[in-house]
Amino acid sequence: MNCYRIGPIRLLVVVTFLASIIGGCANWVDRSTDSSKLIQTNNPLMVGSESSRSIVLSVGFHPIESEQVDADRIASLWQWVDEMVIEPGQRNRLADNGIRIGKVIREDTFRARLSEMSGPHDVIDMFLSEADVGSEVSQGSKRIPMRFGKRYELPLRQPRSGEHVTLVRLNDSLVGKTLLDPQYLLAITPTKASTAGQIRLQCRPEIQHGSMRQKWVSSDSALRIDSRRDTWSLESLDIEFQGSEGDLFLIAGSLPTRGFGKEMMTGNSADNIEQQVVVLLKIEKLPTMSESF
């Protein structure tokens, strides 16, 4: 007889899920519409509110369980990715930190292969994902309206409770810091490109940590209190893509996972199986020349 391993969280959810079905009161919530779970932004434009003047970026998080998927099959994803779109020196610096990036050149084939290896595989997996307890790494997808020069934050995983040492290789040196409750994210800022019909996406790895602090922030119209945690911003690991409407870019950890990329892009599922998140960024829409001014 084959034995299926069920973790304590999954077992509790199974019992709760079955009870809700028997009681006829199962309520399903579409977490993809809750932007606070996935996207943080200091932009006054609300996430989900698109206009003709907006850039629209589609973001997808796809967790892969390396224990359940053959390593060669995961590696095969990169046959449809052009890694040469990033300057060689920067590509090497990212690789030294366990991060791999590129532009997807055969989207349909790539997505078909990725869907075989990621996402919920049964009803209970889906229930866990909807309840935001299925994994420590981010899941799901979202369309994000953006404006040129405005910063948007994409959390890659849940905050790690307690103190943790984070190691980053910077300028051929290994730098370490002990951080309280660290959360890893990508800070994305779209800017105009010199080529017509294209934009630049700057993606900066950052770590928010420590307790919330309040400070006064002034602007042209008001003085307000801003509550934020301390941030370790890794400028030397900037990822910059330049693309047009329809272009799809990939950010993932190296295989096998290692270094800062492992800390930033891996976590455990409800069954305590390590998952690596694959991040897809697609430029869905650009404003026309007249709309961008």
Side-chain angles (χ1 to χ4, degrees):
M1 176 182 296
N2 295 327
C3 295
Y4 183 71
R5 180 175 60 179
I6 299 181
I9 295 179
R10 186 183 179 90
L11 180 60
L12 176 62
V13 173
V14 170
V15 175
T16 305
F17 177 67
L18 292 176
S20 67
I21 293 177
I22 294 173
C25 58
N27 292 320
W28 292 87
V29 180
D30 182 5
R31 292 285 182 179
S32 66
T33 61
D34 185 357
S35 62
S36 65
K37 299 294 182 181
L38 191 61
I39 310 298
Q40 300 173 359
T41 175
N42 58 2
N43 190 306
L45 179 65
M46 294 297 290
V47 172
S49 175
E50 298 179 15
S51 73
S52 62
R53 297 174 61 87
S54 300
I55 302 162
V56 179
L57 187 69
S58 176
V59 180
F61 298 98
H62 304 268
I64 295 176
E65 296 180 357
S66 54
E67 290 185 18
Q68 307 295 330
V69 181
D70 181 81
D72 290 338
R73 193 161 182 78
I74 297 177
S76 70
L77 282 171
W78 293 92
Q79 66 183 301
W80 302 300
V81 178
D82 179 11
E83 298 180 73
M84 304 300 290
V85 295
I86 302 298
E87 186 268 327
Q90 187 65 358
R91 192 166 65 246
N92 291 335
R93 283 187 285 272
L94 291 165
D96 287 342
N97 283 280
I99 302 172
R100 196 171 176 183
I101 56 181
K103 177 182 177 181
V104 177
I105 53 178
R106 292 181 58 184
E107 182 176 347
D108 292 343
T109 307
F110 176 88
R111 286 189 182 275
R113 176 64 60 86
L114 182 61
S115 66
E116 296 173 3
M117 299 185 290
S118 64
H121 299 294
D122 58 30
V123 174
I124 301 304
D125 285 331
M126 186 176 295
F127 186 85
L128 287 165
S129 175
E130 299 285 357
D132 288 330
V133 297
S135 176
E136 293 176 347
V137 298
S138 294
Q139 303 182 61
S141 60
K142 190 71 179 180
R143 286 169 60 90
I144 314 171
M146 293 181 159
R147 292 298 182 97
F148 287 116
K150 299 297 183 180
R151 165 192 164 99
Y152 299 78
E153 298 175 356
L154 304 181
L156 298 179
R157 55 163 297 158
Q158 299 293 330
R160 302 173 68 186
S161 179
E163 291 188 343
H164 297 271
V165 176
T166 296
L167 299 174
V168 183
R169 188 168 294 280
L170 302 173
N171 301 320
D172 299 324
S173 299
L174 194 60
V175 179
K177 291 186 179 182
T178 300
L179 306 176
L180 175 64
D181 301 333
Q183 182 171 27
Y184 305 88
L185 57 88
L186 286 176
I188 299 183
T189 305
T191 57
K192 295 180 181 180
S194 57
T195 304
Q198 292 191 335
I199 61 168
R200 293 182 181 273
L201 293 175
Q202 181 198 68
C203 307
R204 177 169 296 175
E206 292 187 348
I207 311 167
Q208 293 183 354
H209 59 94
S211 302
M212 297 291 290
R213 296 184 179 183
Q214 292 185 341
K215 64 179 181 179
W216 290 98
V217 178
S218 61
S219 64
D220 294 337
S221 58
L223 188 67
R224 62 183 176 84
I225 296 178
D226 186 30
S227 297
R228 296 185 65 86
R229 302 205 294 161
D230 290 335
T231 299
W232 185 9
S233 185
L234 302 172
E235 181 179 355
S236 64
L237 298 184
D238 276 358
I239 302 166
E240 188 172 280
F241 298 116
Q242 180 167 318
S244 308
E245 265 188 24
D247 285 346
L248 178 66
F249 301 99
L250 167 67
I251 302 175
S254 302
L255 190 67
T257 57
R258 66 177 187 277
F260 176 67
K262 180 176 182 177
E263 297 179 51
M264 183 173 68
M265 307 191 73
T266 64
N268 290 334
S269 68
D271 292 332
N272 204 33
I273 298 175
E274 184 178 276
Q275 293 181 319
Q276 178 183 161
V277 64
V278 172
V279 183
L280 295 181
L281 305 175
K282 184 173 183 178
I283 303 173
E284 291 281 1
K285 174 186 171 295
L286 294 180
T288 64
M289 185 72 69
S290 59
E291 292 168 339
S292 61
F293 294 98

